[in-house]
Amino acid sequence: MTNPLLETWNTPFGLPPFDLIEDAHFAPAIETGMAEGLAEVEAVANAPEAATFENTIEGLMRTGAVLDRVLGVFYNLAGSDSTEKREEIMREFSPKLAAHSAAIYGNRALFARVEAVWQARESLDLTPEQARVLMLTHRGFVRAGAALEGDAAARMKEIKGRLATLGTTFGQNLLADERDWQRALSEAELEGMPQFVVDAVRAAGEERGADGPLLTLSRSVIVPFLQFCPNRSLREEAWRAWVARGENGGTTDNRNVAAEILVLRQERAQLLGYDDFASYKLETEMAKTPDAVRGLLMDVWHPAKAQAEADAALLEERMVADGVNGPLQAWDWRYYSEARRREEFALNEAELKPYLQLDRMIEAAFSCASRLFGLEFRALDVPLYHKDARAWEVTRNGKHVAVFIGDYFARASKRSGAWCSAMRTQRKFPDVQAPVVVNVCNFAKGDPALLSYDDARTLFHEFGHALHQMLSDVAYDMISGTSVARDFVELPSQLYEHWLEVPAVLQEFATHADTGESMPQEMLDKVLAAATYDMGFQTVEYVASALVDLTFHEGAPPADPMAEQARVLADLGMPESIVMRHATPHFAHVFTGDGYSSGYYSYMWSEVMDADAFEAFEEADGAFDPAMAQKLERFILSAGGSEEADVLYQKFRGRMPGVEALLKGRGLAA
Ligand SMILES: [Zn+2]
């Protein structure tokens, strides 16, 4: 049987031949890719010649081409158009691929060669990009534990295994607590709540086979319930159950799990030669040090807390007018805040939507990219993986830049959320390769398809990631496009959202589906005001969580994480009526894996940068200032991970980002 995944693709732009690929082709192609990749790595590791940059670092980059190509297609299909077969392949190959990667990083002969090139780096006359990929390759091996020997290597293996188990346990305990708690609601207890909340608790009851409506801890049930339930003692009961997830005693209690995770992370960091886990984690980030993270968070904390306290006073007034004496409690905030929002900042979604047609918003995103970077978009008629997906050729001055695929509509086979991925990344080594970039969203279908304002922002956000991939201009795919630090990767995407808010853009593209008229200014003002509502609360609950996460991973691990959490919050002077967005026993970002541990701050770090970066345009000649656009492309969008993120940012902005623009954007500036 010929397998199209393993053949040369003689298709327009070398796109995957989607019309020929069948699910049965994936497993054998991945097996072949892994086997070939491993043989290629062995050849690099055991080469008879002395190690050089070319035969070792570039040699490694030549390996695994088949696997990369096959997985580029497979992961995209598994996420955007899953089938039972594709899920089965995913389950089968996740552990195999993890073992494949561990085998490469654990190859001692290979690491010895990488180490030899690293030691000789000063005498090699490398280009800046080559020096960068050498450093990243070497660091990747060291951080994976490749330099450890004997007992230390054995202990590292043990720690990694135990941490993986504990992370899974943490997540499963949380899920069990969310699944097991429920409370029957009487008809009388439904009074005063809007129909959609009543429908949600009835649906929850039906789903669990109860006689009547049920309150559960599923986010889509509990949050609206806390926003709309007028019965204060019922709100308190619901809120207490919600914040107790992972902290209920018994076999699903996460407090000891969290404590053990923190101890093992510290040991792992020290085995690798770092002072503590935060230093290990932040080394690869733009922030680099715990002090830099804390400095930024505290700059935001003080104004946010002041705003939250001012808002709390207003909400308490409402509560007293309701006949309830203070103080305002955590189970009151969402309820009175929602009432205030309805009165002061209400947006009529039904009136807004006809102005936000999907096709017009795609045009808007393309048009901004044309004005900023001279890109042009031409619809392509090529076979794709689903009939709803569309493709465009992206060119500049008549030269091919990329293929952009937009897959915008929700369907049962698509995972939720929105994302950008590359089926093929930009590179020049070992061959010149133009990127194939995909944006996947979950918008509702319609004729014409209409978006909410959040949807339109998502479209611009993902297109910002796509520009980072499409404008990438580096030699090696290891540092191409979005292969940058976690606290830097959201800069291009969040920054691009600002162009949606440029009045001229909305005026031209937010036109009514029936009348063709532009969105009225008054509606636009309301949209923008609604976006910053309740930011004091949201910032306080977020920053408190980020600071607790950071403190946990600095210095010696706490013997009792709950006591440490209480101490951090007391030092901050946490407002009485607000709690952490995620308390330790249910802080899944930090404890189900390593991704966001001592990294929860990175959402705000990126937001500080995007606000600061857009301000650079405003300080110049406005949103389309050509000199700023050129700098943005040169130092950020085309540069990928070719230099440290802070260096790139300073080249673009002339300085490091300050928090002022973010505070203004969130309505928190004094
Ligand atoms: Zn993003």
Side-chain angles (χ1 to χ4, degrees):
M1 176 180 86
T2 60
N3 188 331
L5 288 166
L6 300 173
E7 307 282 309
T8 306
W9 295 345
N10 293 314
T11 50
F13 311 106
L15 284 170
F18 291 111
D19 47 345
L20 304 177
I21 296 171
E22 291 166 24
D23 282 349
H25 296 133
F26 284 113
I30 298 173
E31 293 282 9
T32 304
M34 285 198 296
E36 278 184 19
L38 221 47
E40 289 159 0
V41 167
E42 285 297 334
V44 172
N46 302 318
E49 302 85 11
T52 63
F53 180 84
E54 288 71 24
N55 71 22
T56 304
I57 307 301
E58 288 192 339
L60 258 180
M61 285 191 271
R62 288 174 192 274
T63 68
V66 170
L67 187 62
D68 285 350
R69 191 169 73 149
V70 174
L71 290 179
V73 178
F74 176 71
Y75 283 138
N76 273 279
L77 295 196
S80 62
D81 195 23
S82 187
T83 61
E84 227 166 271
K85 180 69 191 164
R86 289 174 191 171
E87 273 164 36
E88 193 186 304
I89 297 168
M90 194 76 143
R91 276 194 301 275
E92 183 190 343
F93 282 97
S94 290
K96 286 189 185 175
L97 287 164
H100 177 75
S101 150
I104 295 171
Y105 279 107
N107 186 318
R108 301 204 73 85
L110 180 61
F111 177 64
R113 292 179 72 85
V114 171
E115 180 69 30
V117 180
W118 172 246
Q119 291 307 336
R121 64 192 177 280
E122 300 296 344
S123 61
L124 296 179
D125 201 20
L126 300 176
T127 67
E129 236 191 87
Q130 289 174 330
R132 177 81 180 159
V133 295
L134 170 58
M135 185 280 285
L136 291 172
T137 304
H138 180 257
R139 189 171 75 181
F141 273 92
V142 171
R143 288 171 64 87
L148 298 179
E149 287 175 28
D151 288 352
R155 179 63 185 150
M156 176 61 80
K157 200 173 168 200
E158 207 171 60
I159 291 174
K160 278 189 187 170
R162 180 68 183 152
L163 278 172
T165 306
L166 289 169
T168 306
T169 304
F170 191 97
Q172 285 172 346
N173 286 347
L174 191 52
L175 212 59
D177 274 13
E178 279 170 12
R179 204 181 41 223
D180 293 348
W181 189 89
Q182 60 186 45
R183 184 194 183 285
L185 295 169
S186 68
E187 291 299 321
E189 284 169 333
L190 303 182
E191 269 170 36
M193 286 196 288
Q195 193 57 43
F196 85 94
V197 183
V198 174
D199 289 345
V201 291
R202 284 199 198 287
E206 268 168 39
E207 196 191 305
R208 292 195 183 181
D211 291 341
L214 269 191
L215 179 61
T216 69
L217 297 180
S218 149
R219 206 177 171 91
S220 59
V221 174
I222 188 79
V223 171
F225 188 84
L226 290 168
Q227 282 172 316
F228 290 101
C229 173
N231 179 333
R232 192 182 192 214
S233 62
L234 192 52
R235 277 203 313 269
E236 179 177 354
E237 189 184 339
W239 180 87
R240 286 193 186 283
W242 192 39
V243 299
R245 286 167 300 146
E247 200 182 339
N248 288 310
T251 54
T252 62
D253 199 302
N254 268 335
R255 285 172 288 189
N256 289 336
V257 181
E260 190 183 346
I261 288 174
L262 293 175
V263 169
L264 290 175
R265 280 181 182 161
Q266 169 75 352
E267 190 183 343
R268 177 173 156 194
Q270 289 190 328
L271 275 173
L272 293 171
Y274 298 84
D275 287 344
D276 54 26
F277 188 79
S279 310
Y280 161 72
K281 257 328 267 292
L282 293 172
E283 178 189 34
T284 58
E285 300 298 308
M286 177 176 171
K288 292 208 171 64
T289 66
D291 282 351
V293 172
R294 173 165 284 107
L296 173 117
L297 291 173
M298 291 312 292
D299 283 349
V300 176
W301 170 259
H302 294 289
K305 185 183 163 192
Q307 180 66 49
E309 281 168 347
D311 287 339
L314 292 177
L315 299 183
E316 196 165 284
E317 270 173 36
R318 277 179 180 272
M319 193 171 83
V320 172
D322 234 10
V324 181
N325 285 328
L328 186 79
Q329 299 285 358
W331 47 90
D332 300 320
W333 191 292
R334 285 184 172 80
Y335 179 73
Y336 289 104
S337 171
E338 173 59 27
R340 182 180 167 211
R341 193 191 64 77
R342 278 199 305 277
E343 280 175 32
E344 296 176 25
F345 300 90
L347 251 190
N348 188 330
E349 282 277 335
E351 281 175 22
L352 175 64
K353 271 200 156 186
Y355 289 99
L356 301 172
Q357 303 174 63
L358 171 63
D359 283 2
R360 295 289 285 155
M361 288 297 114
I362 295 172
E363 276 180 57
F366 287 177
S367 160
C368 291
S370 297
R371 289 184 67 181
L372 289 163
F373 312 115
L375 298 178
E376 289 177 79
F377 299 81
R378 178 178 68 92
L380 286 176
D381 185 15
V382 290
L384 293 170
Y385 57 91
H386 191 278
K387 64 178 171 37
D388 285 345
R390 295 184 252 179
W392 290 265
E393 187 194 5
V394 186
T395 57
R396 177 154 56 185
N397 302 326
K399 258 185 74 189
H400 180 80
V401 172
V403 170
F404 174 71
I405 297 173
D407 179 1
Y408 292 108
F409 295 125
R411 55 177 169 262
S413 62
K414 198 185 266 187
R415 109 177 123 75
S416 61
W419 63 93
C420 172
S421 55
M423 283 199 195
R424 199 166 70 202
T425 48
Q426 180 273 331
R427 72 177 187 209
K428 296 173 198 163
F429 176 90
D431 51 357
V432 173
Q433 189 170 271
V436 176
V437 183
V438 194
N439 274 180
V440 185
C441 299
N442 269 288
F443 302 147
K445 255 187 185 173
D447 188 22
L450 302 177
L451 305 183
S452 69
Y453 190 71
D454 275 353
D455 290 342
R457 269 178 67 160
T458 300
L459 187 149
F460 269 68
H461 178 103
E462 299 309 334
F463 195 71
H465 284 307
L467 287 170
H468 203 181
Q469 298 279 18
M470 296 193 292
L471 291 173
S472 177
D473 186 20
V474 298
Y476 302 111
D477 59 8
M478 177 182 195
I479 50 170
S480 173
T482 55
S483 299
V484 297
R486 183 187 295 276
D487 60 0
F488 190 68
V489 73
E490 295 299 328
L491 170 62
S493 52
Q494 292 181 185
L495 177 58
Y496 208 65
E497 292 176 31
H498 289 268
W499 273 274
L500 173 62
E501 294 176 359
V502 171
V505 173
L506 280 171
Q507 226 145 44
E508 183 175 356
F509 294 98
T511 52
H512 197 282
D514 299 329
T515 67
E517 277 169 36
S518 297
M519 182 186 288
Q521 186 62 41
E522 194 194 355
M523 183 180 277
L524 175 60
D525 291 345
K526 267 189 160 178
V527 167
L528 299 181
T532 61
Y533 179 62
D534 218 14
M535 275 299 162
F537 173 88
Q538 288 183 37
T539 310
V540 161
E541 61 161 13
Y542 168 86
V543 171
S545 295
L547 282 166
V548 167
D549 165 42
L550 182 70
T551 309
F552 275 171
H553 297 96
E554 263 186 293
D560 178 354
M562 296 306 285
E564 180 74 350
Q565 170 184 305
R567 189 191 62 74
V568 172
L569 297 178
D571 283 357
L572 281 173
M574 186 77 171
E576 286 289 321
S577 48
I578 305 179
V579 295
M580 291 167 72
R581 189 179 173 87
H582 308 283
T584 301
H586 50 261
F587 207 162
H589 282 86
V590 172
F591 292 108
T592 55
D594 265 4
Y596 279 92
S597 48
S598 70
Y600 191 62
Y601 77 91
S602 52
Y603 295 99
M604 181 139 295
W605 187 273
S606 307
E607 202 183 317
V608 163
M609 268 193 296
D610 76 65
D612 186 70
F614 191 69
E615 206 175 54
F617 282 85
E618 290 175 331
E619 285 168 5
D621 197 30
F624 294 100
D625 182 83
M628 284 314 301
Q630 208 175 36
K631 278 190 179 181
L632 180 62
E633 176 174 353
R634 177 159 171 220
F635 297 121
I636 302 209
L637 296 176
S638 72
S642 59
E643 289 187 76
E644 288 292 306
D646 58 326
V647 173
L648 292 175
Y649 192 84
Q650 291 184 70
K651 285 184 177 178
F652 161 69
R653 188 64 165 112
R655 58 164 172 78
M656 282 292 274
V659 300
E660 296 73 23
L662 167 113
L663 295 177
K664 229 188 291 168
R666 286 199 161 207
L668 301 174

